[in-house]
Amino acid sequence: MKTTGLRRSPAWLPVVWCLTRLLLLLFVLKVYVFPGPDVTSDVHVIYQGWYGVLSSGTFPLNDVTWQYPPAAALAILSPGLLPFLDYATAFFVLICVTDAAVLALMTWAGRRPGRSLRGAWVWVIGVPLLGPTVYARYDVMVTAVAMAALLAGARHPRAMGALAAFGALLKVWPAMLLLAARRRSAWGAALVTGIAVTGVFALAMPGAFAFLTFQRDRGTEVESLGALVFHVARHFGWQGEVKLNYGSIEFLGPYVSEVSTGALFLTGAAFGWLVLWRLLARRFEEHTLTDAAFVAVLMFTTTSRVISPQYMVWLVGLAAVCLYHPGSRMRLPVLLVLVASFVTVLEFPFYFGSVVASDGLGLTLLFLRNGLLVAASLIAARALWKATVPGIAPAPVPPRPARAGETPVSP
């Protein structure tokens, strides 16, 4: 991605941001209709329904689609801050405001000495590549918290730990930001924040941890890596079905549980690799914290039983913070993630009917998008390992003893 000319004039950042975000708002507000399924139904129906339940002081205990940690209630309730707008419009406006705040943060940080505006450009370009879905979910809010945590980084470890913990209570995955944190104060702040926020929700609202059961019972979502098995198998007589299950379109039928278990195994293997890396890593640079967080979230997203389109905004956000550091080793994986983001908007919502039908176009898009994520994961993991884990030097060859009458040779 070449932005040399644009980087010389940072004024282009807000211009491009305004144009692309105006287009996103026009889509979610239905001024223009984006092809494919209505991506705003989650806000109009599900989020607004949860808002009514949460406003009464309890979590949606009888709704299996509630699969989020307790602090997610804050995101769902946030449109109440704009009582002069209807719920959905207020939600879209708040997402746009959060998006603008991320741009301001990345621009301010990128103009500091030794930093780069490439990260801001990744955010400005990457978000609209995902289409209107990105404004119709609360993941932009979560990603903003995670990005702020990483930008706090080494200078403010306590702030980083507190933000990572709060982000984890919004949607779990920001807990992985602490993977490469080396200061105990970051972990301590995360622990204190996590206990405090969790305690408040546990005491104030019943059902704060019901999401754990609902997550456990999920199957294999049609856009995931494991789902490719069934997309192909349907052409060879597999007798399963595709239907709405636990809030997403999933495969149900023979061998689904085995494939879901296989996905969990891959996730476990990724976690094991990350633990091994953390134990062996010795060379830590300023950007290692962000690179490691990007690799961890990328690996867990790729191996997950569910790869919803909005998950890609997590990767775009972390990719942006990676390239804010000029020394980051993640440039090629970031490019692959941006390309995968564009393919994602093609498979959902543009050609989602083809994906659900497992036809040639749907299979091509899924193989391409998931293949890009697999390639990005492998390349990123290799780059992180090479940059931080010292190689094993070969054992020195002992000098050959000098023969009689021969001058010894110095090693």
Side-chain angles (χ1 to χ4, degrees):
M1 184 179 63
K2 295 185 177 181
T3 58
T4 304
L6 294 176
R7 287 201 306 275
R8 291 174 183 170
S9 179
W12 279 105
L13 276 167
V15 171
V16 177
W17 184 91
C18 287
L19 292 174
T20 54
R21 274 44 176 194
L22 175 61
L23 191 59
L24 290 178
L25 285 173
L26 291 175
F27 282 131
V28 294
L29 293 174
K30 306 290 183 65
V31 177
Y32 297 109
V33 177
F34 199 82
D38 180 11
V39 300
T40 67
S41 60
D42 278 27
V43 178
H44 286 285
V45 179
I46 299 176
Y47 285 13
Q48 191 162 357
W50 288 342
Y51 178 86
V53 176
L54 291 166
S55 298
S56 69
T58 184
F59 285 92
L61 300 177
N62 298 317
D63 187 347
V64 296
T65 60
W66 176 262
Q67 300 170 8
Y68 309 109
L74 300 177
I76 304 302
L77 291 169
S78 63
L81 297 172
L82 303 176
F84 49 89
L85 296 175
D86 65 85
Y87 180 88
T89 302
F91 182 86
F92 301 142
V93 168
L94 288 173
I95 293 296
C96 188
V97 170
T98 305
D99 186 356
V102 172
L103 172 63
L105 181 62
M106 292 299 300
T107 303
W108 170 79
R111 299 191 72 171
R112 290 166 52 196
R115 298 295 181 261
S116 173
L117 284 174
R118 287 194 187 95
W121 277 112
V122 168
W123 179 257
V124 168
I125 294 170
V127 169
L129 287 178
L130 294 167
T133 305
V134 75
Y135 265 32
R137 306 291 187 271
Y138 80 92
D139 294 82
V140 169
M141 296 178 174
V142 184
T143 304
V145 174
M147 294 172 72
L150 287 175
L151 288 171
R155 290 190 174 192
H156 307 285
R158 289 187 177 87
M160 179 199 167
L163 287 169
F166 180 68
L169 290 171
L170 282 168
K171 210 164 187 181
V172 181
W173 66 267
M176 288 182 279
L177 305 185
L178 293 167
L179 176 68
R182 304 182 70 193
R183 297 192 184 182
R184 293 182 180 179
S185 55
W187 287 93
L191 183 62
V192 170
T193 302
I195 292 174
V197 175
T198 301
V200 168
F201 277 104
L203 293 173
M205 299 176 69
F209 301 101
F211 77 98
L212 294 172
T213 300
F214 298 153
Q215 278 285 358
R216 180 195 65 198
D217 294 334
R218 295 198 73 158
T220 297
E221 191 254 351
V222 294
E223 298 164 273
S224 66
L225 185 64
L228 292 173
V229 173
F230 300 111
H231 282 293
V232 174
R234 292 175 84 182
H235 293 273
F236 295 93
W238 180 70
Q239 296 301 310
E241 58 180 340
V242 177
K243 64 184 296 186
L244 183 65
N245 188 52
Y246 289 97
S248 64
I249 306 297
E250 298 182 351
F251 280 113
L252 299 175
Y255 308 110
V256 170
S257 61
E258 286 81 0
V259 170
S260 295
T261 301
L264 290 174
F265 174 80
L266 286 177
T267 300
F271 179 75
W273 183 92
L274 290 166
V275 170
L276 179 64
W277 167 81
R278 188 63 181 83
L279 292 173
L280 297 179
R282 293 294 180 269
R283 296 190 292 263
F284 284 82
E285 300 177 71
E286 193 173 13
H287 57 78
T288 302
L289 178 71
T290 301
D291 286 359
F294 175 70
V295 171
V297 176
L298 177 59
M299 293 176 74
F300 275 82
T301 301
T302 303
T303 60
S304 175
R305 293 176 294 173
V306 179
I307 306 181
S308 295
Q310 63 269 22
Y311 290 13
M312 297 299 295
V313 76
W314 313 346
L315 301 177
V316 169
L318 297 186
V321 185
C322 281
L323 294 200
Y324 147 84
H325 294 280
S328 173
R329 307 301 201 277
M330 297 296 135
R331 293 191 182 187
L332 178 55
V334 165
L335 178 60
L336 294 176
V337 164
L338 290 177
V339 176
S341 297
F342 176 69
V343 179
T344 296
V345 79
L346 295 179
E347 62 91 359
F348 184 89
F350 212 91
Y351 293 113
F352 193 59
S354 292
V355 171
V356 173
S358 302
D359 65 18
L361 176 59
L363 277 171
T364 300
L365 291 173
L366 280 182
F367 269 103
L368 180 58
R369 196 280 303 271
N370 292 345
L372 286 166
L373 290 179
V374 170
S377 298
L378 295 175
I379 294 170
R382 183 174 182 270
L384 179 65
W385 186 279
K386 288 184 66 177
T388 56
V389 177
I392 301 175
V397 178
R400 179 176 59 84
R403 298 175 181 174
E406 183 179 52
T407 303
V409 179
S410 300

